[in-house]
Amino acid sequence: MAAAELKELLSTILSLIDFTSLEGTDSDKSTVDLCRRAMDFGEKGLQVPAAVCIFSPFIRTAHRELSGSGIRIATVAGGFPHGQVPLQAKQEEVAFAVNQGADEVDIVFSRGNFLAGHQQQVYDEIATLRDICKPLTLKVILETGELGTPEHISEASDVALRAGADFIKTSTGKIPSGATEQGVIIMLERIRNYYETTGIRRGIKPSGGIADPDRALMFYELVSSRLGEAWLSKELFRFGASRLAGKLAEKIHPD
């Protein structure tokens, strides 16, 4: 691949990132810093990330910082990262995110209930949260590293897609196993099947352990080869990452 072509591809990947900070030490101050770093890519002549992804108490701070930037505000909900809270608490958390002005909500898949055989309960929960956050973008985090088998990843993908997920996402980034090639391939197959069945395109978000540009390129090529060019935009393809953006910038403008 020619150097100019590689730089263009890396720039595209930069524009697909949900620039993320989900740490116990996050604050309004660190959120301001995160947003300014996201906008700084544009000031350097680079693409800006698609979104910042933060905890919901900091949504309004992000709004003030990102006004007019074109960068969307994503937050996590649904008992992130484990999902082990009552449905009412999940509903209130999603409603709070909506009222604070989030553009996108990443909820966690109830894998405990799913693995216990309660697929309908999981479907109903996602559908309920989907209704609360319409018309925001809803991403459902499967946590593929805890689902255990390819069959579980496939079925969980189907449940989330049928329940109204706009994106299915690999991982919270809070367990050792994040995005894997096998897991993403299975999820892409289910997204393709959903499109062939319904005519509706749904998105993919590899997340968890993606800090290296070469690894991001691998996932980009998987999406390109298995779903096609129509999926290669931020409306249908995101990366969840915190360190990847800076490493991409270094490769695009190494000086």
Side-chain angles (χ1 to χ4, degrees), residues 37 46 77 132 135 137 140 176 182 191 216 252 254:
R37 285 190 288 129
L46 298 166
I132 294 170
T137 298
V140 177
Q182 181 190 39
I191 290 171
I252 297 165

Side-chain angles (χ1 to χ4, degrees), residues 20-27 30 55 58 80 173-174 242:
T20 301
S21 184
L22 297 169
E23 301 298 332
T25 53
D26 288 348
S27 63
S30 67
F55 285 120
F58 311 118
F80 181 91
K174 299 302 183 182
S242 55

Side-chain angles (χ1 to χ4, degrees), residues 186-234:
I186 294 167
M187 293 163 71
L188 293 173
E189 289 173 350
R190 303 322 301 158
I191 290 171
R192 183 176 60 193
N193 179 75
Y194 186 83
Y195 173 65
E196 290 171 349
T197 302
T198 67
I200 300 171
R201 291 188 174 97
R202 300 300 193 194
I204 180 81
K205 181 177 173 180
S207 182
I210 307 174
D212 181 80
D214 288 338
R215 187 163 174 76
L217 281 166
M218 181 268 290
F219 287 122
Y220 185 93
E221 292 300 327
L222 280 180
V223 175
S224 177
S225 63
R226 290 174 183 267
L227 293 181
E229 189 172 338
W231 266 265
L232 302 178
S233 72
K234 63 185 178 182

Side-chain angles (χ1 to χ4, degrees), residues 55-178:
F55 285 120
S56 59
F58 311 118
I59 292 171
R60 289 191 174 175
T61 298
H63 255 296
R64 290 194 297 269
E65 292 298 316
L66 296 174
S67 178
S69 69
I71 301 172
R72 293 169 67 84
I73 298 171
T75 193
V76 291
F80 181 91
H82 303 298
Q84 300 288 20
V85 298
L87 177 58
Q88 182 179 349
K90 296 181 183 184
Q91 292 171 301
E92 292 173 354
E93 192 174 18
V94 171
F96 178 81
V98 173
N99 292 334
Q100 292 294 295
D103 299 303
E104 306 178 355
V105 180
D106 294 28
I107 65 169
V108 291
F109 188 84
S110 294
R111 52 263 190 204
N113 284 332
F114 173 82
L115 293 172
H118 305 307
Q119 285 82 352
Q120 185 63 47
Q121 181 180 341
V122 177
Y123 172 94
D124 291 343
E125 178 177 286
I126 295 169
T128 296
L129 300 179
R130 162 79 280 175
D131 286 343
I132 294 170
C133 66
K134 284 181 178 177
L136 277 60
T137 298
L138 178 68
K139 310 188 198 91
V140 177
I141 312 167
L142 301 183
E143 199 69 284
T144 54
E146 290 187 343
L147 289 176
T149 68
E151 291 76 19
H152 284 155
I153 295 171
S154 179
E155 186 178 1
S157 297
D158 287 343
V159 169
L161 292 167
R162 288 189 292 104
D166 295 304
F167 282 74
I168 49 176
K169 174 179 171 181
T170 56
S171 177
T172 61
K174 299 302 183 182
I175 67 169
S177 176

